[in-house]
């Protein structure tokens, strides 16, 4: 699934108003097969964009329809004096962030169209748009768009008639590969790309090398040379599952079945010819046996170390009772004794430590938890209300959830429910899932035994 986003800036805003901005997001082929079109607008002074159009179109004709909407909108806005701009940063947060971006060139608009025509399987229109570009012979994205159009048309029409398209696809791919290898070539720091799939030079190099590998493997029948091209793509760390499938095919043709099986298993590929082969099934069985043996050995060597702490003083207890008048008995018994204030699970060279907070530290952590829950009150009131509603729906009042066990420098912690139907129970709370309080055990004295049981079961709990 590829997402395309375009931005427009009102070139001549009223003198007493901030410029108006438009953001278009279109997905020719969504995960459900439908095409999507979203139009958002905002003043540069606004905090966020507001949705104006949100359309879901049928798979039949939908991709062409969203492309035509973009073409029509582009023409209408240009005639009204709007300026289409280039936004390299996909994480632009606020409308005002768009004001410093440069206008999009005519060639870049044509490359946009070429990419979208290719998404709609209209390769002739894609190539025609690219041929209308006047200043892009050194642009990586121009060659990427041309490579895609030629390669896709070759796949759609296999046979001798595809030879010319394969030659074109490889030529454009080799331009990028040679440019990447040329230490004297100027790096395309301000490289233009439209869409989310080829935003970086590495992703365009990986795709170029993959196309060359596909040609060498599937058309020429040279798995050795194909492996060299695949190595270039692999080195970018921008490879795809399709690239790994090509690698598996090449390795099998080279009689390097163990490497092929390792790659297939590592990437969780679903190649029927591999899945159904007796050799692969035997390999997987062997790997599972070895993994189970290694896991059993690891778990058998776990060590559990406990350490004492300072029992709560009378002053500490008075501080706790002022905030929580009826703390559960199991917690009071634990915090007023010195034993087992810390549990460490030692796993080889690594370890995980869980520490019982002192009362003052627990109360401080409680304020920190409430701070996380109100983090968006000013910056995003709607999100803050969603968080409050989600917590209310869970039946839990964070005011009565006291953090009691955690790890140094970790916001996530185990919290004790101080009132309500589950009073005395222990829950886990994570700051990045702040609305969720997950029940763990019914009483504070069960927490450390539960953590040990989790580790023995092979799932050491990580804070």
């Amino acid at each position: 699934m590829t997402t395309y986003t375009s931005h427009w800036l009102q070139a001549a805003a009223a003198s007493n108003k901030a410029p108006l901005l438009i953001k278009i997001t279109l997905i020719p082929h969504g995960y459900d097969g439908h095409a999507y079109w979203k139009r958002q607008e905002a003043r540069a002074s606004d905090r966020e964009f507001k949705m104006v159009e949100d359309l879901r179109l049928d798979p039949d004709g939908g991709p062409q329809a969203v492309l035509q909407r973009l073409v029509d909108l582009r023409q209408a806005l240009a005639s009204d004096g709007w300026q289409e701009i280039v936004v390299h940063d996909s994480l632009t947060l606020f409308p005002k962030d768009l004001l410093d971006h440069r206008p999009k060139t005519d060639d870049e608009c044509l490359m946009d169209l070429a990419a979208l025509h290719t998404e709609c399987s209209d390769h002739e229109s894609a190539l025609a748009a690219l041929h209308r570009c006047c200043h892009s012979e050194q642009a990586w994205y121009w060659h990427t768009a041309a490579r895609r159009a030629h390669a896709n048309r070759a796949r759609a029409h296999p046979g001798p008639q595809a030879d010319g398209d394969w030659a074109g696809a490889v030529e454009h791919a080799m331009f990028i590969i040679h440019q990447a290898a040329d230490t004297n070539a100027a790096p395309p720091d301000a490289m233009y790309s439209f869409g989310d799939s080829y935003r970086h030079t590495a992703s365009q190099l990986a795709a170029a090398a993959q196309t060359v590998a596909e040609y060498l493997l599937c058309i020429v029948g040279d798995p050795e040379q194909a492996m060299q091209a695949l190595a270039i793509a692999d080195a970018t760390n921008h490879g795809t599952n399709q690239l790994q499938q090509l690698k598996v095919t090449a390795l099998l043709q080279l009689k390097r079945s163990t490497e092929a099986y390792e790659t297939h298993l590592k990437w969780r590929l679903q190649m029927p010819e591999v899945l159904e082969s007796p050799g692969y099934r035997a390999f997987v069985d062997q790997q599972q046996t070895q993994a189970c043996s290694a896991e059993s050995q690891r778990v058998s060597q776990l060590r559990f170390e406990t350490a004492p702490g300072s029992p709560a003083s009378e002053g500490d207890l008075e501080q706790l009772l002022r905030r929580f008048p009826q703390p559960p008995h199991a917690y009071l018994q634990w915090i007023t004794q010195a034993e087992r204030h810390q549990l460490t699970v030692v796993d080889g060279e690594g370890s995980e430590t869980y520490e019982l907070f002192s009362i003052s530290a627990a109360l401080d952590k409680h304020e920190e938890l409430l701070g996380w829950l109100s983090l968006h009150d000013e910056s995003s009131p709607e999100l803050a209300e969603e968080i409050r509603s989600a917590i209310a729906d869970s039946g839990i009042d964070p005011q009565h959830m006291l953090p009691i066990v955690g790890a140094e420098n970790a916001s996530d912690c185990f919290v004790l429910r101080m009132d309500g139907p589950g009073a005395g129970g222990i829950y886990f709370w994570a700051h990045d899932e702040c609305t969720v309080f997950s029940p763990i055990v019914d009483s504070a004295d069960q927490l450390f035994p539960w953590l040990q049981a989790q580790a023995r079961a092979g799932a050491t709990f990580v804070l």
Side-chain angles (χ1 to χ4, degrees):
M1 187 187 83
T2 302
T3 302
Y4 292 93
T5 306
S6 292
H7 300 85
W8 278 268
L9 171 65
Q10 189 179 28
S15 58
N16 61 337
K17 291 185 178 180
L20 188 62
L21 301 156
I22 295 176
K23 178 180 180 180
I24 299 296
T25 304
L26 58 99
I27 304 174
H29 301 281
Y31 287 115
D32 58 359
H34 289 76
Y36 290 86
W37 167 278
K38 299 179 188 294
R39 173 172 174 164
Q40 300 174 72
E41 296 182 0
R43 292 281 178 188
S45 56
D46 292 341
R47 182 175 293 276
E48 59 187 16
F49 282 92
K50 294 183 179 179
M51 191 69 68
V52 176
E53 289 181 306
D54 190 356
L55 306 178
R56 178 175 182 262
L57 289 75
D58 290 337
D60 185 14
Q64 294 79 9
V66 293
L67 171 54
Q68 190 59 50
R69 290 182 74 88
L70 178 67
V71 171
D72 294 343
L73 181 66
R74 178 176 273 167
Q75 292 175 347
L77 291 177
S79 64
D80 288 342
W82 285 72
Q83 195 172 73
E84 191 169 1
I85 58 177
V86 176
V87 179
H88 288 292
D89 186 0
S90 62
L91 298 177
T92 299
L93 297 178
F94 304 107
K96 66 179 181 180
D97 295 337
L98 299 176
L99 295 180
D100 296 331
H101 292 277
R102 67 172 177 81
K104 188 175 288 187
T105 68
D106 291 340
D107 275 16
E108 289 164 347
C109 291
L110 289 168
M111 287 189 280
D112 294 353
L113 288 178
L116 287 167
H117 279 305
T118 299
E119 289 291 318
C120 296
S121 300
D122 185 354
H123 312 305
E124 289 73 19
S125 295
L127 292 169
L130 291 172
H131 290 152
R132 288 160 55 197
C133 294
C134 300
H135 309 288
S136 301
E137 60 276 2
Q138 297 298 311
W140 279 40
Y141 191 66
W142 186 88
H143 288 277
T144 292
R147 174 195 59 76
R148 289 188 70 218
H150 279 297
N152 285 1
R153 188 164 67 178
R155 297 185 193 103
H157 304 286
Q161 66 268 34
D163 291 349
D165 274 319
W166 276 119
V170 170
E171 179 183 353
H172 291 294
M174 292 306 297
F175 170 88
I176 292 175
I177 292 172
H178 289 151
Q179 284 285 305
D182 185 358
T183 56
N184 295 320
D189 293 330
M191 178 185 68
Y192 177 74
S193 66
F194 180 58
D196 58 359
S197 298
Y198 302 102
R199 191 173 302 280
H200 306 289
T201 55
S203 60
Q204 298 194 49
L205 174 59
Q210 181 174 313
T211 294
V212 173
E214 180 184 358
Y215 172 72
L216 291 169
L217 182 63
C218 303
I219 306 301
V220 177
D222 188 340
E224 193 71 51
Q225 292 293 318
M227 284 295 294
Q228 296 182 26
L230 290 168
I232 295 174
D234 245 351
T236 66
N237 295 318
H238 280 70
T240 62
N241 271 6
Q242 184 183 1
L243 177 123
Q244 302 304 326
Q245 290 175 13
L246 290 171
K247 183 189 294 186
V248 169
T249 301
L251 289 169
L252 289 174
Q253 290 184 11
L254 293 169
K255 309 300 182 185
R256 294 158 58 181
S257 58
T258 300
E259 293 174 72
Y261 296 158
E262 288 173 346
T263 301
H264 191 283
L265 184 62
K266 174 183 177 181
W267 290 89
R268 300 180 181 180
L269 304 179
Q270 297 295 316
M271 300 171 66
E273 66 275 22
V274 178
L275 291 171
E276 296 169 5
S277 68
Y280 181 70
R281 290 200 294 269
F283 172 81
V284 171
D285 289 343
Q286 181 186 42
Q287 293 294 304
Q288 290 176 342
T289 300
Q290 292 175 352
C292 289
S293 176
E295 177 66 4
S296 297
Q297 184 177 5
R298 182 188 70 81
V299 171
S300 69
Q301 294 175 350
L302 290 176
R303 300 199 319 274
F304 301 97
E305 300 175 353
T306 60
S310 299
S313 66
E314 290 296 329
D316 293 331
L317 291 173
E318 289 177 7
Q319 186 182 15
L320 174 66
L321 294 172
R322 282 196 297 270
R323 181 65 181 83
F324 300 102
Q326 294 182 316
H329 174 73
Y331 174 60
L332 280 178
Q333 190 173 30
W334 190 7
I335 200 69
T336 55
Q337 296 179 1
E339 292 79 13
R340 295 174 64 85
H341 278 221
Q342 182 175 292
L343 169 67
T344 299
V345 179
V346 182
D347 184 357
E349 296 182 357
S351 65
E352 189 73 19
T353 296
Y354 317 95
E355 183 175 358
L356 176 66
F357 298 138
S358 67
I359 288 178
S360 60
L363 293 173
D364 288 344
K365 199 78 170 177
H366 177 67
E367 294 303 315
E368 181 184 329
L369 183 153
L370 296 178
W372 277 107
L373 297 182
S374 60
L375 181 65
H376 302 287
D377 284 357
E378 295 185 5
S379 62
S380 182
E382 292 181 0
L383 176 58
E385 182 57 35
E386 288 180 15
I387 291 173
R388 282 191 290 271
S389 296
I391 294 175
D393 291 343
S394 73
I396 286 182
D397 182 357
Q399 293 284 349
H400 299 285
M401 303 296 284
L402 177 66
I404 64 168
V405 170
E408 187 178 2
N409 301 323
S411 297
D412 305 348
C413 54
F414 293 99
V415 295
L416 172 64
R417 189 166 187 174
M418 305 298 275
D419 76 342
I426 302 295
Y427 296 72
F428 178 70
W429 177 83
H431 74 282
D432 57 352
E433 295 182 24
C434 60
T435 63
V436 179
F437 291 84
S438 303
I440 300 297
V441 291
D442 295 333
S443 178
D445 56 3
Q446 299 172 8
L447 179 57
F448 276 7
W450 181 86
L451 288 167
Q452 289 182 254
Q454 289 291 110
R456 290 193 180 99
T460 299
F461 198 100
V462 178
L463 287 167

